[in-house]
Amino acid sequence: MRKTISSYHPNDQDKVRRAYMKMGPCQPKNFPFPQKLMGKKNRRFNEACFLKHESWLEYSISKDAVFCLPCYLFRNYVTGKGSSDAFVNAGFSNWKPQVEKLDKHVGCQNSAHNDAYMKSRELLQETHHIEAIYRRQKEQESLSYMIRLTASICVTRFLLLQGLAFRGHDESDASHNQGNFLELLQYTAEHNDSIKSEVMKNAPGNNKLTSPDIQKEIMSAAAMETMDAIRDDIGDAFFAVMIDESRDVSVREQMAVVIRYVNKKGCVIERFIGIIHVLETTSISLKTSVDAFVFQVRFRYNEIEGTMYDGASNMQGSTNGLKALILRENPSAYVIHCFSYQLQLALMHVAQNHTEVALFFTIVSRVVTIVYASCKRRDVLREKELGRVVELVGKGERLSGSGLNQEAGLKRPSDTRWGTHYNTLLSLILMFPSVLDMLEIVSREGSSEARGEAYAYQILMPTFDFVFTLFLVRTLLGITNEL
């Protein structure tokens, strides 16, 4: 009553065969098998045959005949071999010699029945099928890919958190230092066998996930995730934007963007969200760059409640400055000129217009230059300061303990960062005697040009006016240093 296997679609035939094999042959138990006259006796199917041929023999109640399940399933492959036709189509119902006929159907080892039976067994062993092998291979490839990707992501996250460079000068296989990314990935692999078996030389040649393009894609994904976290932290609240531009060491104009907001816990948070390379420093060019960046990070101008710039005309211009251009789109973006920066500008203006203070900063800058003109002078200064500290500790005039008496050096001040002058004055006060000793050495052993200058500063620095100005300016800059 069932359809032939050939009537199914070729792509579904194995599924049908497998379903039949999982159900097993139809073998009714405790069924009153009907009798029929054969010769001079009534005969019927012997249920004991199920025990002998339980793996393939099945009985049809409607036809009162037995069939071979494996031969039915693989009838297309065994046509005309042995007695397969009787056990597939009409069914076998000659009960007189049934035991001999069943054994004859099984036949020898290479019979059609055994051939079909072996095919049915192999069909159930899914691990040997091409589809199963292909699926396992794809699963293994997916697992290997995830291991390589996870390792690259972990290395990228570490380098991003530490602010380290990714690329190396020479990343060839013969290089002894292939750069932070590859070296850290290799170090990770050496301490994890599961990663070691999948990355670097053990990875497929076209799927190592270590190329610069892959590194940049992972970094971009990390940046997007970071921005999503910041946006979630802001929520529906308003925020302020702080913008400043300056040249970097490669003489490229860069505009830094920082947002300031109050998070859900009521804390004031500042987040540096990006650097924008600008071709020009005009207000229109800056506004175009800001628009593109705001669109990229998916912020909206109507959420900006305040802006902050320095005092440059392209920023603070009331007509065509960046401030005016943004206010035209969002009148609520109130502008604040950084008060800390204004205070620093005032201090700089006072210092530049007061003769004695201006001379003082000139002397300090020249003394640092003379003392730190060579590595030899720096080493001598360190040795003298070390000897002086040991002597003071021995006399009990300086305390000793954890974190005290660390090795120090003169810090060079920066003309554009007046906060560095405070640190320079602190180090000069701390190392004042050693600096005088160093100037004395330079006045004796230095070049002809440096001798006279060092001798002059050696005499000028111990004077009351210089020391008074030193502590006065240190006190003033210490007040604004907190900003």
Side-chain angles (χ1 to χ4, degrees):
M1 297 176 63
R2 57 197 175 192
K3 298 194 303 183
T4 61
I5 292 296
S6 59
S7 63
Y8 292 96
H9 191 278
N11 293 338
D12 298 330
Q13 290 179 5
D14 278 348
K15 296 180 181 178
V16 175
R17 292 186 178 108
R18 192 175 294 112
Y20 273 115
M21 290 300 301
K22 288 183 178 179
M23 288 190 300
C26 179
Q27 298 177 348
K29 303 296 183 181
N30 300 321
F31 177 74
F33 296 99
Q35 296 183 355
K36 59 183 177 180
L37 184 61
M38 291 185 175
K40 296 180 180 180
K41 292 184 179 180
N42 289 326
R43 299 181 183 275
R44 65 177 182 176
F45 174 72
N46 185 2
E47 188 177 356
C49 293
F50 284 151
L51 299 176
K52 185 177 181 180
H53 306 289
E54 61 178 351
S55 61
W56 62 269
L57 183 64
E58 55 183 359
Y59 176 84
S60 171
I61 296 176
S62 62
K63 293 185 177 183
D64 187 27
V66 293
F67 294 82
C68 177
L69 179 60
C71 290
Y72 156 72
L73 297 178
F74 293 92
R75 176 69 175 80
N76 294 338
Y77 303 100
V78 294
T79 301
K81 292 185 178 181
S83 56
S84 296
D85 292 342
F87 283 84
V88 173
N89 296 326
F92 175 76
S93 60
N94 187 359
W95 307 132
K96 182 178 181 180
Q98 58 180 297
V99 177
E100 293 80 0
K101 286 288 187 179
L102 294 178
D103 291 340
K104 183 179 179 181
H105 172 74
V106 174
C108 62
Q109 183 177 1
N110 297 325
S111 66
H113 167 83
N114 285 326
D115 194 19
Y117 179 78
M118 291 303 299
K119 285 183 171 65
S120 64
R121 295 293 94 187
E122 292 174 358
L123 185 66
L124 287 179
Q125 296 179 357
E126 298 185 17
T127 56
H128 295 170
H129 298 165
I130 294 179
E131 296 87 349
I133 296 174
Y134 178 76
R135 184 173 61 252
R136 290 198 305 272
Q137 184 177 359
K138 291 297 294 183
E139 292 175 353
Q140 181 60 39
E141 289 180 359
S142 299
L143 178 61
S144 300
Y145 181 86
M146 288 303 299
I147 292 176
R148 291 192 294 271
L149 180 60
T150 303
S152 296
I153 290 176
C154 292
V155 171
T156 300
R157 289 185 60 187
F158 178 84
L159 296 178
L160 288 176
L161 287 172
Q162 299 301 321
L164 300 175
F166 280 62
R167 305 295 305 282
H169 176 68
D170 182 8
E171 294 186 348
S172 63
D173 294 337
S175 174
H176 295 290
N177 186 355
Q178 296 180 310
N180 291 333
F181 184 88
L182 295 179
E183 291 293 340
L184 183 57
L185 182 61
Q186 182 65 40
Y187 177 84
T188 304
E190 291 176 354
H191 293 77
N192 191 310
D193 293 337
S194 61
I195 296 178
K196 184 178 182 180
S197 61
E198 301 295 345
V199 302
M200 305 303 284
K201 295 181 179 179
N202 295 325
N206 61 344
N207 194 8
K208 293 180 179 296
L209 295 179
T210 57
S211 68
D213 292 338
I214 295 296
Q215 296 175 25
K216 292 177 182 178
E217 288 186 14
I218 297 176
M219 284 187 284
S220 298
M224 294 175 62
E225 292 291 332
T226 304
M227 288 305 307
D228 289 341
I230 293 175
R231 277 191 294 270
D232 292 340
D233 195 29
I234 296 175
D236 297 330
F238 295 100
F239 59 90
V241 177
M242 294 181 283
I243 300 175
D244 193 14
E245 56 87 18
S246 64
R247 294 181 181 179
D248 60 11
V249 294
S250 61
V251 197
R252 289 161 58 94
E253 290 291 343
Q254 306 281 9
M255 181 167 61
V257 182
V258 176
I259 61 173
R260 180 182 176 93
Y261 62 94
V262 179
N263 66 0
K264 299 174 183 178
K265 297 181 180 180
C267 301
V268 178
I269 304 296
E270 289 185 357
R271 297 296 186 194
F272 171 72
I273 61 175
I275 291 180
I276 310 171
H277 172 57
V278 292
L279 299 177
E280 299 178 1
T281 58
T282 61
S283 57
I284 296 178
S285 177
L286 295 179
K287 177 62 168 54
T288 302
S289 300
V290 171
D291 290 343
F293 184 75
V294 169
F295 176 78
Q296 177 184 351
V297 298
R298 298 197 296 275
F299 283 137
R300 293 186 296 271
Y301 270 115
N302 57 4
E303 296 176 339
I304 300 177
E305 193 68 15
T307 56
M308 183 181 297
Y309 318 98
D310 58 17
S313 59
N314 61 343
M315 293 286 190
Q316 290 279 13
S318 58
T319 304
N320 294 319
L322 180 61
K323 172 190 74 173
L325 297 178
I326 293 181
L327 282 174
R328 291 172 189 173
E329 296 188 19
N330 182 11
S332 299
Y334 300 104
V335 182
I336 300 174
H337 188 183
C338 180
F339 292 106
S340 300
Y341 184 63
Q342 291 186 45
L343 181 57
Q344 290 290 353
L345 289 177
L347 290 175
M348 291 171 60
H349 182 74
V350 170
Q352 292 172 355
N353 286 274
H354 195 284
T355 305
E356 293 184 6
V357 175
L359 177 60
F360 167 79
F361 278 114
T362 301
I363 294 174
V364 171
S365 178
R366 289 300 303 161
V367 167
V368 174
T369 301
I370 292 174
V371 172
Y372 268 28
S374 65
C375 296
K376 179 180 178 180
R377 294 180 185 178
R378 296 183 184 185
D379 294 338
V380 173
L381 179 63
R382 292 193 188 98
E383 293 178 1
K384 287 191 169 294
E385 180 64 15
L386 176 61
R388 191 176 70 87
V389 169
V390 171
E391 181 181 355
L392 293 176
V393 171
K395 294 180 179 180
E397 297 180 8
R398 177 174 290 190
L399 298 177
S400 61
S402 177
L404 299 177
N405 304 317
Q406 299 293 318
E407 181 177 330
L410 287 179
K411 300 180 180 179
R412 189 181 300 276
S414 173
D415 293 335
T416 59
R417 301 180 185 274
W418 276 73
T420 60
H421 287 74
Y422 179 69
N423 295 325
T424 301
L425 299 183
L426 290 180
S427 60
L428 181 60
I429 293 174
L430 182 65
M431 304 176 63
F432 198 84
S434 300
V435 171
L436 291 180
D437 294 341
M438 192 64 215
L439 289 174
E440 181 182 359
I441 294 175
V442 175
S443 65
R444 295 196 314 265
E445 303 175 0
S447 62
S448 56
E449 299 178 357
R451 287 179 184 178
E453 192 175 6
Y455 179 75
Y457 295 145
Q458 180 186 356
I459 297 176
L460 183 59
M461 285 183 61
T463 62
F464 174 82
D465 291 340
F466 182 88
V467 175
F468 176 81
T469 306
L470 172 63
F471 280 87
L472 174 63
V473 176
R474 189 279 309 267
T475 303
L476 293 176
L477 294 182
I479 297 174
T480 62
N481 185 64
E482 298 298 328
L483 303 176

